[in-house]
Amino acid sequence: MKSYKVGIIGATGMVGQRFVTLLHNHPWFEITVLAASKRSAGKNYEDALNGRWVMKTPLPEELKDKIVLDAQADISKIASDVDFVFCAVDMKKDEIKSLEEAYAKAECPVISNNSANRFTDDVPMVIPELNSDHIKIIPSQKKRLGTKRGFIAVKSNCSLQSYVPALYPLHEQFGVKDVLVCTYQAISGAGKTFERWPEMVDNVIPYIGGEEEKSEKEPLKIWGSIQGDKIVSAAKPNFTSQCIRVPVSDGHLAACFVNFEKNPTKEQILEVWKNFKGRPQELDLPHAPKQFLNYYTEDNMPQTKINRELEGGMAISIGRLREDTQYNWKFVCISHNTLRGAAGGAVLLAELLCAEGYIEPKD
């Protein structure tokens, strides 16, 4: 496979740090640029972190002295030095949208962890195993931007990636009609640790700003289709959600209740989950889990602490499938929110785009 020079925009934040751990020793990608806010620019990476490295693995030695660039002021330099960038910045939504478009117009593809461009009509929002075909909209986006190489592709919200992967193949076979989902989300989804957020110890907060809207709206774009120069969201399934912050370091759990157009048996549901594969598995991408959907028969499984790291945190764990009194079926799902849900999902998307020829090395 070809090798690519990559940049991380927002490298000092929690998701940026996760990108560092995933890209360190990646078989295709080499970290060439680290960029962050103006206050971090000009410092070496270790000093810019200022003791805020929160990953379990050590900060890679070869990156400690790497000078951090200014994510906004140094766009031209960054674009010239890399083949594409990952973007995970903490800014206002309109500022993020402008920043990502500036990189794209500088002929630098952007793989974004941010939400700002998720509903831009010609920006694909991709869970690679589910709607990989949406990357076919990229030529239309390039035409709008007036670029040859530059474009933006985004991953979905982290909480979706615990339950939408389980629903997607069932919808293809049996027609998912109604979904009620309650998500129980880890504090790392807010970019926090217990040391930095002591109020979360022994506490549950029944509100996460913007999450319920994303949980109800974003799946419909994933289920949508390319029509002309736009991705048009699907009209169904019908989603309703509640999103709750719980005192867990990593890992989002979702409790799902589902009505089908053609109600399947338990055996049919389990068979679909067992056999489901997506384009990343077909291409054997470096971060693709071998078994994407994993079902556990024990009554007390899956569990966040036990299952979140499954297949490097890139697989989905499912359990407690049973009939419901008001819906056809109910079950629970778990995914690792900063791996599958955030940086890992973006890295897998980048691998897909490279394997399918949408990103080429400049050299």
Side-chain angles (χ1 to χ4, degrees):
M1 186 64 189
K2 302 167 185 174
S3 60
Y4 299 80
K5 296 177 180 178
V6 305
I8 302 171
I9 312 302
T12 56
M14 182 176 282
V15 176
Q17 292 177 33
R18 182 65 79 181
F19 275 123
V20 167
T21 66
L22 292 173
L23 297 173
H24 181 235
N25 295 327
H26 190 284
W28 303 356
F29 303 151
E30 176 191 354
I31 300 173
T32 304
V33 166
L34 299 172
S37 65
K38 187 176 182 179
R39 66 179 177 272
S40 296
K43 300 177 182 177
N44 67 42
Y45 187 45
E46 186 173 33
D47 288 344
L49 288 167
N50 193 28
R52 292 179 291 112
W53 179 260
V54 297
M55 297 292 106
K56 294 176 183 177
T57 54
L59 172 62
E61 285 292 330
E62 62 269 33
L63 295 180
K64 287 182 177 180
D65 292 328
K66 196 169 192 63
I67 299 301
V68 176
L69 300 183
D70 188 319
Q72 293 177 286
D74 294 329
I75 291 175
S76 295
K77 174 173 174 49
I78 294 167
S80 68
D81 287 347
V82 302
D83 296 310
F84 67 93
V85 296
F86 293 101
C87 188
V89 294
D90 183 12
M91 299 164 62
K92 294 178 180 178
K93 190 169 287 190
D94 59 338
E95 294 174 342
I96 295 172
K97 196 167 186 177
S98 176
L99 181 72
E100 292 180 348
E101 192 163 302
Y103 274 95
K105 287 184 175 179
E107 298 295 359
C108 182
V110 178
I111 316 301
S112 178
N113 184 70
N114 304 112
S115 65
N117 272 299
R118 286 182 191 156
F119 283 94
T120 304
D121 288 339
D122 55 10
V123 171
M125 179 176 67
V126 180
I127 298 177
E129 283 87 353
L130 308 188
N131 60 329
S132 62
D133 60 310
H134 281 195
I135 63 177
K136 295 176 183 177
I137 196 68
I138 288 172
S140 295
Q141 185 193 148
K142 287 181 177 178
K143 184 176 180 181
R144 172 178 64 85
L145 295 174
T147 60
K148 294 181 179 179
R149 292 187 78 255
F151 65 87
I152 303 163
V154 303
K155 49 155 288 297
S156 73
N157 190 45
C158 55
S159 64
L160 267 67
Q161 301 192 52
S162 58
Y163 62 91
V164 171
L167 294 169
Y168 194 90
L170 299 178
H171 185 57
E172 292 181 332
Q173 299 246 4
F174 311 113
V176 173
K177 188 167 58 173
D178 304 301
V179 179
L180 184 155
V181 62
C182 295
T183 61
Y184 303 88
Q185 301 184 205
I187 65 171
S188 57
K192 304 284 189 180
T193 64
F194 286 116
E195 290 75 19
R196 292 163 56 195
W197 200 5
E199 297 86 353
M200 274 307 303
V201 176
D202 193 30
N203 194 22
V204 168
I205 299 176
Y207 173 73
I208 306 172
E211 287 292 294
E212 287 158 5
E213 295 84 352
K214 294 172 186 175
S215 297
E216 294 171 358
K217 187 179 177 185
E218 288 187 19
L220 298 178
K221 183 170 181 179
I222 292 167
W223 260 296
S225 60
I226 296 174
Q227 298 180 25
D229 58 358
K230 298 179 180 179
I231 298 171
V232 177
S233 294
K236 57 182 183 179
N238 302 309
F239 281 87
T240 186
S241 70
Q242 287 205 112
C243 298
I244 300 167
R245 187 74 71 192
V246 294
V248 170
S249 58
D250 294 298
H252 289 352
L253 182 148
C256 277
F257 302 77
V258 189
N259 277 329
F260 293 96
E261 293 172 1
K262 296 180 288 185
N263 191 16
T265 66
K266 183 173 184 176
E267 290 72 23
Q268 286 175 315
I269 293 173
L270 295 178
E271 189 71 12
V272 168
W273 285 339
K274 179 181 177 181
N275 294 321
F276 181 69
K277 297 182 185 298
R279 189 66 177 143
Q281 285 73 37
E282 294 172 3
L283 294 169
D284 194 25
L285 299 178
H287 278 84
K290 302 301 181 186
Q291 181 63 40
F292 182 36
L293 305 177
N294 299 264
Y295 185 77
Y296 294 82
T297 58
E298 300 91 336
D299 288 339
N300 64 345
M301 295 287 281
Q303 295 180 23
T304 304
K305 193 171 184 178
I306 295 172
N307 297 100
R308 62 191 173 199
E309 300 283 351
L310 184 64
E311 295 223 35
M314 293 299 289
I316 310 300
S317 300
I318 312 171
R320 303 206 68 211
L321 175 64
R322 59 214 190 278
E323 290 183 287
D324 185 59
T325 57
Q326 297 180 50
Y327 288 76
N328 296 144
W329 293 94
K330 56 189 172 184
F331 54 88
V332 297
C333 304
I334 288 172
S335 67
H336 196 302
N337 56 296
T338 69
L339 289 167
R340 165 56 69 168
V347 171
L348 185 62
L349 173 54
E351 292 169 357
L352 173 71
L353 290 164
C354 291
E356 299 283 26
Y358 286 86
I359 302 176
E360 293 287 349
K362 286 186 288 189
D363 296 333

